[in-house]
Amino acid sequence: MNKEKLKLTSSEIGSLWGQYMNGTMTDIINRYMLSIIEDKAIKAIFQDAIKTFAKQKKQLVFFIENEGFPVPIGFNESDHNKGTKRLFSDIFCLNYLHIMTIHGLVGHTTSLGIAVREDLRYFYDSCDTDGKRMYHQTIDLLLEKGDFQRDPYCYPGESLEFITTKDFTDGFFGKGRRLASTEIISISLNLKKSILAKTLCVAFSQVAQSKDVRKFMVDSQKVAEANIKSFSKILDDDNLSVPKSWETEVTTSTESPFSDKLLMYHIGFLSQVAQGYYGKGLASAMRTDLLTTYERVILRNLRVTKKWYNIMIQNKWLEQQPLVPNRQELAREK
């Protein structure tokens, strides 16, 4: 059997479609950020990111077209309003690239996990390698600039311990035990992602052209703020450090560097991806108050997603993913 002549499955086509949509969106933002960044070291990393995606994009197009599917429109230069005033600081751009690189790493690993055909597996493997390089570069530069926000420290106990009481799961009425290091993983990561989402909503609410889009951004900002408060309270109650906000890294510009379609898609992407991270945090939580917090955050996010979907549909901004055949319709045609 020729491994490269295997027909791609619906899951493999779906992963390629998603990688193309998300990649072209991020690429437009990276190109804008490159145009405003003044720091030479940060600029060099963005140049690498743009060059890397250009290589990946060609391969994505080849895979999609080779299977007879139309290449999505995604995002292109028409979604980039050139010559607008600076909207973000250099350091925010670097933090943005770092968080989006984490999203990319998760996406590539997930796609690799469902890929069967050999050439597709090696493509996602190379994407993962590119993502890891970018991950190291962004962290190293953030550390060098003293702007990388590390998670809270956990100090070793005197000896190995076992759970001996049911109170281990109780987080209410002051009876709860301290946070477990495994729980902090999701809390800290979700907090940082919520901070990024809020900052983008603040920026996008200033520059969006449509009244509906501006209102959506303001509403989404409030949801992100509520989520930040929920996660911050958990850390604060155990006297643990909370990451700083990035809103002050947004300028007062009201000129939009991007189309409203891109602004909406980006926040929708972050909201949808966040649900997966919240679900993972819910699964790893062993304290009742954490379970309740994640449930509330998930419900808030679902409301954002519903509003997002309605606006995207009304404006015909949402491309339809490849669908499986409708056998009933085919039968009626005969």
Side-chain angles (χ1 to χ4, degrees), residues 38-236:
E38 299 175 348
D39 186 284
K40 291 182 179 179
I42 299 177
K43 191 180 261 308
I45 295 181
F46 272 83
Q47 289 171 334
D48 185 17
I50 292 168
K51 182 179 178 181
T52 297
F53 179 70
K55 174 188 67 175
Q56 294 173 356
K57 183 180 178 181
K58 289 180 181 179
Q59 195 63 46
L60 287 167
V61 170
F62 170 78
F63 282 127
I64 294 171
E65 288 185 335
N66 198 48
E67 292 297 311
F69 288 89
V71 177
I73 297 172
F75 298 90
N76 50 49
E77 288 301 319
S78 67
D79 296 294
H80 181 190
N81 302 321
K82 296 181 180 179
T84 57
K85 295 179 181 178
R86 168 187 282 267
L87 186 58
F88 304 109
S89 69
D90 282 10
I91 202 64
F92 175 79
C93 293
L94 180 57
N95 276 290
Y96 171 86
L97 183 58
H98 173 65
I99 295 294
M100 293 304 290
T101 297
I102 294 175
H103 285 307
L105 283 171
V106 174
H108 294 147
T109 302
T110 301
S111 295
L112 177 61
I114 56 118
V116 175
R117 208 169 76 183
E118 185 177 60
D119 56 346
L120 191 58
R121 281 186 277 124
Y122 280 104
F123 167 66
Y124 283 130
D125 189 52
S126 68
C127 289
D128 186 55
T129 299
D130 291 334
K132 288 175 182 175
R133 184 184 71 253
M134 192 63 55
Y135 180 75
H136 290 304
Q137 288 178 344
T138 54
I139 285 185
D140 286 343
L141 190 53
L142 283 168
L143 286 170
E144 180 183 319
K145 294 184 175 298
D147 203 77
F148 186 80
Q149 300 186 71
R150 302 190 68 186
D151 295 340
Y153 290 106
C154 184
Y155 296 93
E158 295 182 358
S159 61
L160 183 66
E161 298 180 21
F162 289 88
I163 299 172
T164 59
T165 172
K166 292 181 180 179
D167 285 346
F168 189 82
T169 62
D170 191 1
F172 293 108
F173 311 116
K175 298 178 182 178
R177 43 81 184 170
R178 293 162 297 162
L179 283 171
S181 55
T182 51
E183 293 168 332
I184 293 177
I185 296 172
S186 291
I187 294 171
S188 182
L189 188 56
N190 281 316
L191 185 51
K192 292 175 183 177
K193 291 176 182 296
S194 295
I195 290 171
L196 173 68
K198 180 187 175 183
T199 305
L200 288 176
C201 286
V202 168
F204 292 171
S205 67
Q206 293 178 189
V207 301
Q209 302 298 303
S210 163
K211 181 179 178 181
D212 288 340
V213 174
R214 288 198 300 274
K215 184 178 185 307
F216 172 82
M217 294 301 168
V218 172
D219 292 343
S220 298
Q221 176 188 333
K222 292 177 182 177
V223 169
E225 177 63 33
N227 293 344
I228 290 169
K229 288 180 179 178
S230 294
F231 290 128
S232 296
K233 184 179 185 306
I234 294 170
L235 294 178
D236 191 57

Side-chain angles (χ1 to χ4, degrees), residues 253-308:
S253 173
T254 57
E255 297 180 5
S256 182
F258 313 113
S259 66
D260 279 4
K261 171 189 169 184
L262 187 145
L263 301 183
M264 286 295 299
Y265 186 90
H266 199 338
I267 299 304
F269 164 78
L270 291 177
S271 296
Q272 292 166 24
V273 170
Q275 293 294 63
Y277 285 96
Y278 296 151
K280 186 176 180 180
L282 180 65
S284 65
M286 294 180 288
R287 231 172 61 179
T288 49
D289 61 327
L290 299 186
L291 298 175
T292 302
T293 295
Y294 278 115
E295 288 171 353
R296 288 173 179 167
V297 167
I298 289 171
L299 287 174
R300 290 189 199 119
N301 241 45
L302 285 173
R303 288 193 288 270
V304 169
T305 302
K306 183 179 180 181
K307 292 179 183 177
W308 172 85

Side-chain angles (χ1 to χ4, degrees), residues 328-334:
Q328 293 180 341
E329 287 292 331
L330 292 173
R332 276 198 288 269
E333 287 177 8
K334 293 182 179 180

Side-chain angles (χ1 to χ4, degrees), residues 8-26:
L8 292 181
T9 66
S10 56
S11 297
E12 290 170 326
I13 289 295
S15 70
L16 290 167
W17 193 92
Q19 294 274 356
Y20 186 90
M21 291 294 296
N22 299 334
T24 53
M25 174 202 70
T26 306

